[in-house]
Amino acid sequence: MRQINIENEVNRIVEFIRTKLNNSGFSKTIVGLSGGIDSALTATLCVKALGCSNVYGVMMPYKNSHPDSLGHASILAQHLNISHQVIDISPMVDEYFKNYAPDADMLRRGNFMARIRMCTLFDLSAKHQAIVAGTSNKSELYVGYCTQYGDSACGFEPIGHLYKTEVKEMSEYLNVPAPIIKKKPTADLWAGQTDEEELGITYPTLDEILYQLIDLKKTDQDILCTSIEKHQLELVHKKIRQSEFKRNLPDMLE
Protein backbone atom coordinates (compact mmCIF):
# COMPACT_ATOMS: atom_id res chain seq x y z
CA MET A 1 0.00 0.00 0.00
CA ARG A 2 1.23 3.50 -0.74
CA GLN A 3 2.80 5.60 1.99
CA ILE A 4 1.84 9.27 2.19
CA ASN A 5 3.14 12.02 4.44
CA ILE A 6 0.00 12.71 6.46
CA GLU A 7 1.06 16.16 7.66
CA ASN A 8 1.91 17.30 4.14
CA GLU A 9 -1.29 15.82 2.78
CA VAL A 10 -3.40 17.61 5.39
CA ASN A 11 -1.77 20.90 4.39
CA ARG A 12 -2.38 20.14 0.72
CA ILE A 13 -6.08 19.43 1.33
CA VAL A 14 -6.48 22.56 3.45
CA GLU A 15 -5.03 24.66 0.63
CA PHE A 16 -7.30 22.89 -1.86
CA ILE A 17 -10.39 23.73 0.22
CA ARG A 18 -9.41 27.37 0.58
CA THR A 19 -8.65 27.70 -3.12
CA LYS A 20 -11.88 26.00 -4.15
CA LEU A 21 -14.04 28.27 -2.03
CA ASN A 22 -12.15 31.38 -3.05
CA ASN A 23 -12.47 30.54 -6.75
CA SER A 24 -16.16 29.71 -6.32
CA GLY A 25 -16.99 32.91 -4.45
CA PHE A 26 -17.95 31.16 -1.21
CA SER A 27 -16.64 31.64 2.30
CA LYS A 28 -18.58 28.79 3.94
CA THR A 29 -19.11 25.08 3.41
CA ILE A 30 -21.83 22.67 4.47
CA VAL A 31 -21.21 19.02 5.37
CA GLY A 32 -23.66 16.17 5.82
CA LEU A 33 -22.63 14.48 9.08
CA SER A 34 -23.50 10.78 9.06
CA GLY A 35 -21.64 9.85 12.22
CA GLY A 36 -19.10 7.99 10.08
CA ILE A 37 -15.39 8.53 9.58
CA ASP A 38 -15.54 10.03 6.07
CA SER A 39 -17.86 12.90 6.94
CA ALA A 40 -16.01 13.38 10.22
CA LEU A 41 -12.67 13.79 8.47
CA THR A 42 -14.19 16.05 5.81
CA ALA A 43 -15.69 18.36 8.43
CA THR A 44 -12.45 18.37 10.42
CA LEU A 45 -10.42 19.37 7.36
CA CYS A 46 -12.95 22.08 6.46
CA VAL A 47 -12.71 23.54 9.96
CA LYS A 48 -8.93 23.48 9.74
CA ALA A 49 -9.11 25.31 6.42
CA LEU A 50 -11.93 27.78 7.10
CA GLY A 51 -12.47 27.99 10.86
CA CYS A 52 -15.40 26.58 12.82
CA SER A 53 -17.66 29.56 12.13
CA ASN A 54 -17.56 28.82 8.38
CA VAL A 55 -18.55 25.15 8.52
CA TYR A 56 -22.17 24.05 8.94
CA GLY A 57 -23.06 20.47 9.78
CA VAL A 58 -26.33 18.71 8.97
CA MET A 59 -27.47 15.40 10.46
CA MET A 60 -30.23 13.68 8.49
CA PRO A 61 -31.34 10.51 10.30
CA TYR A 62 -34.06 8.17 9.14
CA LYS A 63 -36.34 6.57 11.75
CA ASN A 64 -34.50 3.23 11.42
CA SER A 65 -31.03 4.75 11.61
CA HIS A 66 -28.83 3.39 14.38
CA PRO A 67 -28.84 5.78 17.36
CA ASP A 68 -25.03 5.81 17.30
CA SER A 69 -25.06 7.54 13.92
CA LEU A 70 -26.74 10.67 15.23
CA GLY A 71 -24.90 10.37 18.53
CA HIS A 72 -21.47 10.25 16.89
CA ALA A 73 -22.36 13.07 14.50
CA SER A 74 -23.37 15.20 17.49
CA ILE A 75 -20.13 14.35 19.29
CA LEU A 76 -18.17 15.48 16.24
CA ALA A 77 -20.10 18.74 15.87
CA GLN A 78 -19.44 19.58 19.51
CA HIS A 79 -15.80 18.49 19.18
CA LEU A 80 -15.34 20.87 16.22
CA ASN A 81 -17.56 23.59 17.73
CA ILE A 82 -19.54 23.99 14.51
CA SER A 83 -23.13 25.09 14.06
CA HIS A 84 -25.34 22.14 13.15
CA GLN A 85 -28.90 21.04 12.56
CA VAL A 86 -30.84 17.77 12.74
CA ILE A 87 -33.41 17.10 10.01
CA ASP A 88 -35.42 13.87 10.22
CA ILE A 89 -35.90 12.62 6.65
CA SER A 90 -38.45 9.95 7.67
CA PRO A 91 -41.60 11.90 6.68
CA MET A 92 -40.23 12.72 3.21
CA VAL A 93 -39.09 9.15 2.56
CA ASP A 94 -42.13 7.39 4.00
CA GLU A 95 -44.66 9.55 2.19
CA TYR A 96 -43.14 8.71 -1.18
CA PHE A 97 -42.95 4.96 -0.66
CA LYS A 98 -46.34 4.80 1.02
CA ASN A 99 -48.07 6.47 -1.92
CA TYR A 100 -46.02 5.48 -4.94
CA ALA A 101 -43.72 2.50 -4.26
CA PRO A 102 -44.85 0.40 -1.28
CA ASP A 103 -43.14 -2.72 -2.69
CA ALA A 104 -39.74 -1.08 -3.20
CA ASP A 105 -36.76 -3.12 -2.03
CA MET A 106 -34.02 -2.02 0.38
CA LEU A 107 -31.71 -0.81 -2.39
CA ARG A 108 -34.29 1.53 -3.87
CA ARG A 109 -35.17 2.86 -0.44
CA GLY A 110 -31.52 3.39 0.46
CA ASN A 111 -30.81 5.24 -2.78
CA PHE A 112 -33.88 7.42 -2.28
CA MET A 113 -32.71 8.32 1.23
CA ALA A 114 -29.30 9.30 -0.13
CA ARG A 115 -30.89 11.55 -2.74
CA ILE A 116 -33.26 13.13 -0.20
CA ARG A 117 -30.20 13.97 1.90
CA MET A 118 -28.52 15.47 -1.16
CA CYS A 119 -31.56 17.64 -1.92
CA THR A 120 -31.64 18.78 1.71
CA LEU A 121 -27.97 19.72 1.69
CA PHE A 122 -28.23 21.70 -1.54
CA ASP A 123 -31.30 23.56 -0.33
CA LEU A 124 -29.51 24.50 2.88
CA SER A 125 -26.43 25.47 0.89
CA ALA A 126 -28.55 28.13 -0.83
CA LYS A 127 -29.92 29.29 2.52
CA HIS A 128 -26.49 29.58 4.13
CA GLN A 129 -24.58 30.54 0.98
CA ALA A 130 -22.29 27.60 1.59
CA ILE A 131 -20.84 25.15 -0.93
CA VAL A 132 -21.55 21.46 -0.28
CA ALA A 133 -18.44 19.48 0.64
CA GLY A 134 -18.41 15.87 -0.55
CA THR A 135 -17.49 13.07 1.82
CA SER A 136 -16.58 10.25 -0.58
CA ASN A 137 -13.18 8.54 -0.57
CA LYS A 138 -11.20 7.08 -3.47
CA SER A 139 -11.90 3.46 -2.56
CA GLU A 140 -15.67 3.88 -2.69
CA LEU A 141 -15.68 6.16 -5.72
CA TYR A 142 -13.71 3.66 -7.82
CA VAL A 143 -15.95 0.70 -7.02
CA GLY A 144 -19.16 2.72 -7.23
CA TYR A 145 -20.06 2.37 -3.58
CA CYS A 146 -22.11 5.55 -3.63
CA THR A 147 -25.48 6.73 -4.91
CA GLN A 148 -25.41 8.65 -8.16
CA TYR A 149 -26.76 12.15 -7.46
CA GLY A 150 -26.99 11.15 -3.81
CA ASP A 151 -23.92 11.07 -1.59
CA SER A 152 -21.76 11.47 -4.71
CA ALA A 153 -23.29 14.89 -5.46
CA CYS A 154 -21.32 17.83 -4.09
CA GLY A 155 -19.42 21.00 -4.93
CA PHE A 156 -15.99 19.48 -4.32
CA GLU A 157 -14.40 16.35 -2.83
CA PRO A 158 -11.79 17.10 -0.14
CA ILE A 159 -10.95 13.42 0.51
CA GLY A 160 -11.86 11.91 -2.86
CA HIS A 161 -8.19 11.11 -3.55
CA LEU A 162 -7.65 9.24 -0.26
CA TYR A 163 -8.08 5.50 0.11
CA LYS A 164 -10.28 4.36 3.00
CA THR A 165 -7.29 3.14 5.01
CA GLU A 166 -5.69 6.58 4.56
CA VAL A 167 -8.90 8.23 5.75
CA LYS A 168 -8.55 6.30 8.98
CA GLU A 169 -4.86 7.20 9.32
CA MET A 170 -5.53 10.89 8.76
CA SER A 171 -8.49 10.85 11.15
CA GLU A 172 -6.25 9.47 13.88
CA TYR A 173 -3.65 12.14 13.14
CA LEU A 174 -6.27 14.92 13.40
CA ASN A 175 -7.81 13.52 16.60
CA VAL A 176 -11.24 12.70 15.23
CA PRO A 177 -13.21 11.30 18.22
CA ALA A 178 -12.21 7.69 18.86
CA PRO A 179 -15.72 6.15 18.75
CA ILE A 180 -16.06 7.31 15.15
CA ILE A 181 -12.70 5.88 14.12
CA LYS A 182 -13.16 2.54 15.86
CA LYS A 183 -16.66 1.55 14.71
CA LYS A 184 -17.29 -0.56 11.63
CA PRO A 185 -17.92 1.58 8.53
CA THR A 186 -21.59 1.56 7.56
CA ALA A 187 -23.92 3.57 5.36
CA ASP A 188 -26.60 2.82 7.99
CA LEU A 189 -29.27 2.33 5.36
CA TRP A 190 -30.76 -0.69 7.12
CA ALA A 191 -30.25 -2.54 10.38
CA GLY A 192 -26.97 -4.42 10.69
CA GLN A 193 -25.59 -3.17 7.36
CA THR A 194 -21.79 -2.80 7.12
CA ASP A 195 -19.78 -1.52 4.17
CA GLU A 196 -17.32 -4.39 3.98
CA GLU A 197 -20.02 -7.05 4.10
CA GLU A 198 -21.97 -5.32 1.35
CA LEU A 199 -18.85 -4.80 -0.77
CA GLY A 200 -17.76 -8.40 -0.28
CA ILE A 201 -14.18 -7.41 0.52
CA THR A 202 -12.28 -5.71 3.34
CA TYR A 203 -11.07 -2.15 2.90
CA PRO A 204 -7.35 -3.00 3.35
CA THR A 205 -7.58 -5.62 0.60
CA LEU A 206 -9.68 -3.36 -1.64
CA ASP A 207 -7.24 -0.50 -1.18
CA GLU A 208 -4.25 -2.68 -1.98
CA ILE A 209 -5.85 -3.90 -5.20
CA LEU A 210 -6.91 -0.41 -6.26
CA TYR A 211 -3.47 0.98 -5.46
CA GLN A 212 -1.75 -1.64 -7.61
CA LEU A 213 -4.26 -1.25 -10.45
CA ILE A 214 -4.65 2.53 -10.50
CA ASP A 215 -1.48 4.02 -9.05
CA LEU A 216 1.11 1.41 -9.97
CA LYS A 217 -0.72 0.25 -13.12
CA LYS A 218 0.28 -3.33 -12.50
CA THR A 219 -1.02 -6.20 -14.61
CA ASP A 220 -3.35 -8.81 -13.20
CA GLN A 221 -0.55 -11.35 -13.43
CA ASP A 222 1.74 -9.17 -11.29
CA ILE A 223 -1.00 -8.52 -8.75
CA LEU A 224 -1.77 -12.22 -8.41
CA CYS A 225 1.88 -12.84 -7.52
CA THR A 226 1.19 -10.98 -4.27
CA SER A 227 -1.19 -12.01 -1.48
CA ILE A 228 -4.22 -10.98 -3.55
CA GLU A 229 -6.49 -13.85 -4.58
CA LYS A 230 -8.02 -14.23 -8.03
CA HIS A 231 -11.65 -13.94 -6.87
CA GLN A 232 -10.82 -10.70 -5.02
CA LEU A 233 -9.19 -9.14 -8.08
CA GLU A 234 -12.06 -10.22 -10.33
CA LEU A 235 -14.56 -8.70 -7.89
CA VAL A 236 -12.78 -5.33 -7.93
CA HIS A 237 -12.47 -5.34 -11.73
CA LYS A 238 -16.20 -6.03 -11.99
CA LYS A 239 -17.12 -3.23 -9.58
CA ILE A 240 -14.89 -0.72 -11.38
CA ARG A 241 -16.35 -1.68 -14.77
CA GLN A 242 -19.98 -1.64 -13.67
CA SER A 243 -19.70 1.73 -11.89
CA GLU A 244 -17.85 3.64 -14.62
CA PHE A 245 -20.99 5.64 -15.45
CA LYS A 246 -21.04 7.06 -11.91
CA ARG A 247 -17.61 8.68 -12.36
CA ASN A 248 -18.39 10.42 -15.65
CA LEU A 249 -20.69 13.18 -16.76
CA PRO A 250 -23.77 11.93 -18.64
CA ASP A 251 -23.01 10.98 -22.25
CA MET A 252 -24.29 13.21 -25.04
CA LEU A 253 -23.97 13.42 -28.78
CA GLU A 254 -21.50 15.92 -30.15
Side-chain angles (χ1 to χ4, degrees), residues 217-251:
K217 302 187 185 305
K218 285 189 176 182
T219 65
D220 287 3
Q221 184 176 2
D222 289 336
I223 295 173
L224 291 174
C225 288
T226 67
S227 61
I228 301 302
E229 298 179 11
K230 184 178 180 181
H231 72 94
Q232 294 172 326
L233 180 58
E234 289 176 345
L235 175 65
V236 174
H237 269 305
K238 181 180 179 181
K239 288 183 178 295
I240 292 174
R241 184 175 63 254
Q242 292 182 338
S243 62
E244 184 66 28
F245 72 97
K246 292 185 178 183
R247 293 183 292 277
N248 297 320
L249 291 173
D251 291 334

Side-chain angles (χ1 to χ4, degrees), residues 6-253:
I6 294 296
E7 182 179 3
N8 289 346
E9 196 58 33
V10 167
N11 292 334
R12 201 165 75 95
I13 296 171
V14 163
E15 185 58 31
F16 166 71
I17 294 170
R18 290 171 177 165
T19 300
K20 177 63 181 180
L21 265 71
N22 183 62
N23 291 343
S24 302
F26 288 88
S27 61
K28 298 180 179 181
T29 189
I30 186 168
V31 185
L33 301 179
S34 68
I37 194 170
D38 296 314
S39 62
L41 178 59
T42 299
T44 300
L45 288 164
C46 287
V47 167
K48 192 171 181 64
L50 308 170
C52 61
S53 62
N54 290 314
V55 179
Y56 191 76
V58 187
M59 298 83 143
M60 295 166 283
Y62 179 65
K63 64 184 181 184
N64 292 338
S65 297
H66 196 287
D68 283 352
S69 296
L70 180 57
H72 290 158
S74 299
I75 288 171
L76 180 80
Q78 294 168 15
H79 173 73
L80 296 176
N81 193 30
I82 61 174
S83 297
H84 54 282
Q85 179 179 4
V86 178
I87 296 179
D88 182 0
I89 66 169
S90 303
M92 294 175 275
V93 173
D94 290 348
E95 192 68 15
Y96 173 80
F97 287 107
K98 174 185 175 183
N99 290 305
Y100 303 109
D103 298 326
D105 60 19
M106 302 274 278
L107 178 61
R108 285 178 60 189
R109 291 174 185 271
N111 284 334
F112 191 82
M113 290 179 206
R115 293 184 177 116
I116 285 292
R117 290 181 173 116
M118 177 274 292
C119 290
T120 302
L121 284 176
F122 274 91
D123 176 63
L124 291 175
S125 76
K127 175 182 178 181
H128 295 285
Q129 292 296 292
I131 191 169
V132 177
T135 61
S136 297
N137 60 67
K138 186 173 183 175
S139 308
E140 293 164 359
L141 288 171
Y142 264 91
V143 296
Y145 193 59
C146 57
T147 298
Q148 190 178 31
Y149 305 117
D151 51 323
S152 66
C154 59
F156 66 112
E157 290 279 17
I159 63 170
H161 64 298
L162 296 178
Y163 289 109
K164 186 74 171 191
T165 48
E166 295 168 343
V167 168
K168 182 177 181 181
E169 186 179 359
M170 187 174 289
S171 296
E172 292 171 342
Y173 175 80
L174 291 175
N175 296 315
V176 168
I180 297 174
I181 296 175
K182 292 179 179 179
K183 72 178 181 179
K184 289 184 178 181
T186 174
D188 196 21
L189 296 177
W190 53 82
Q193 183 262 346
T194 66
D195 293 354
E196 291 180 324
E197 183 176 337
E198 194 173 0
L199 284 167
I201 192 169
T202 66
Y203 277 115
T205 301
L206 172 61
D207 288 358
E208 183 60 40
I209 294 174
L210 289 174
Y211 172 59
Q212 294 193 43
L213 281 175
I214 298 167
D215 295 83
L216 300 183
K217 302 187 185 305
K218 285 189 176 182
T219 65
D220 287 3
Q221 184 176 2
D222 289 336
I223 295 173
L224 291 174
C225 288
T226 67
S227 61
I228 301 302
E229 298 179 11
K230 184 178 180 181
H231 72 94
Q232 294 172 326
L233 180 58
E234 289 176 345
L235 175 65
V236 174
H237 269 305
K238 181 180 179 181
K239 288 183 178 295
I240 292 174
R241 184 175 63 254
Q242 292 182 338
S243 62
E244 184 66 28
F245 72 97
K246 292 185 178 183
R247 293 183 292 277
N248 297 320
L249 291 173
D251 291 334
M252 65 179 118
L253 291 172

